[in-house]
Amino acid sequence: VVEAPQKVGGRRAAADLAVGVLKVAPPASGVERPEASAPASPSTTQEAAEAACESPAEGHIEASGGGETDHAAAVRCLRNLYGKMGNGFGNDFALDGDHVVDSTNMQYGEITYEGMQALYPAMGLGKGDTFYDLGSGIGKLVLYVAMRGEVEKSMGLEVGDRRHRLAETAAASLVAPPGCAKFELLQEDISRRHYRDACVVLITNLCMDMGVQNRTLDNLYRCEKFRRIVTICPLPPRPWLKLRKTVKISTTWAKVSSWQIYDVLREPVDKAGRDSPVRGSSRPQRAS
């Protein structure tokens, strides 16, 4: 049985991508930069889906005990999925109504598959969590976390128009393995979203201006479920952030880079049930 692709959001409707299968590519020998392929017709994709199920080595990934997919199986799937697509490197643009995003905030890089293996356990994801990748590019980490199967949902926000379209194509083409979590990819400015379900958040804040970082942090803290954030660069000081540890991660711009993992400290509640103020906090005040 081939599961239907998960919902893909964003400015462009993905109705034409509603049916898709894993696009299989032979193992790459070196760096490939092929052009993005157009989605196949529903009849073609259905036939390919059936073929994929009949050929586990090509289109199917096995789940480990408990319905979770291991790292190696998830990476095999991602390599096949992205093998015939374009990549996120190069120029991109974003236009959100009358708001044009500064291109200096759209520098691109990726966590390597080796880096994902080190990062995943360090984030401390658990059952019921919703994971957010802020600046998700073409969606690799979002789909990886979803396929690992430990979270309730994996979310990606990307403002770049071209990168988001590639992420939509990948998400619609994924044949979800057993136990795959829900996932969603949206084209959206991370600093303008009202977060309601974010539990563990990763933000690629290298080359990101402080205005975007501060607005994003303030919006995240309004979410009661928000408990952990992972970043490349140290975050602006907040009394409600506590550095938990650093972890060495392999990326496309550095063989080894140190990532910061912060726990979110919640304010004590007084007897009247109101939040106690934190001296020096830049947390936005709730309306009384």
Side-chain angles (χ1 to χ4, degrees), residues 64-75:
S64 59
E68 298 166 5
T69 300
D70 65 20
H71 169 75
V75 168

Side-chain angles (χ1 to χ4, degrees), residues 10-222:
R11 195 185 313 157
R12 286 184 171 79
D16 58 329
L17 300 177
V19 179
V21 296
L22 186 65
K23 295 179 176 63
V24 180
S29 57
V31 178
E32 292 185 278
R33 296 179 180 270
E35 296 296 329
S37 56
S41 65
S43 59
T44 303
T45 56
Q46 180 61 35
E47 292 173 0
E50 293 172 357
C53 288
E54 293 172 0
S55 180
E58 294 292 330
H60 180 70
I61 60 179
E62 298 294 335
S64 59
E68 298 166 5
T69 300
D70 65 20
H71 169 75
V75 168
R76 284 197 300 272
C77 183
L78 291 176
R79 288 187 187 279
N80 289 334
L81 184 63
Y82 287 95
K84 290 185 177 180
M85 289 177 51
N87 59 59
F89 296 96
N91 295 330
D92 205 346
F93 69 94
L95 179 63
D96 183 11
D98 295 328
H99 172 62
V100 180
V101 177
D102 188 344
S103 61
T104 59
N105 290 309
M106 297 176 63
Q107 303 301 314
Y108 190 74
E110 293 179 354
I111 300 172
T112 65
Y113 294 132
E114 180 184 0
M116 291 180 191
Q117 185 174 25
L119 176 65
Y120 185 78
M123 292 192 295
L125 298 167
K127 298 295 183 183
D129 279 346
T130 297
F131 167 75
Y132 272 79
D133 182 3
L134 303 185
S136 53
I138 62 175
K140 286 184 180 180
L141 183 62
V142 175
L143 298 184
Y144 174 85
V145 169
M147 285 190 288
R148 293 300 301 266
E150 291 189 78
V151 299
E152 178 70 20
K153 189 174 184 179
S154 185
M155 294 281 297
L157 270 59
E158 171 57 45
V159 75
D161 189 78
R162 180 177 63 84
R163 293 164 191 161
H164 177 67
R165 282 188 280 114
L166 288 170
E168 283 185 318
T169 300
S173 301
L174 175 67
V175 177
C180 183
K182 294 178 289 186
F183 56 85
E184 189 173 6
L185 294 155
L186 302 173
Q187 185 175 13
E188 194 168 336
D189 184 337
I190 66 171
S191 69
R192 295 185 169 201
R193 181 177 178 84
H194 298 291
Y195 299 90
R196 295 181 175 87
D197 57 353
C199 301
V200 179
V201 174
L202 181 140
I203 179 169
T204 308
N205 62 337
L206 187 67
C207 300
M208 183 180 291
D209 73 52
M210 295 304 295
V212 172
Q213 293 188 55
N214 283 322
R215 290 193 301 272
T216 303
L217 285 172
D218 289 344
N219 289 340
L220 281 168
Y221 194 72
R222 291 188 179 102

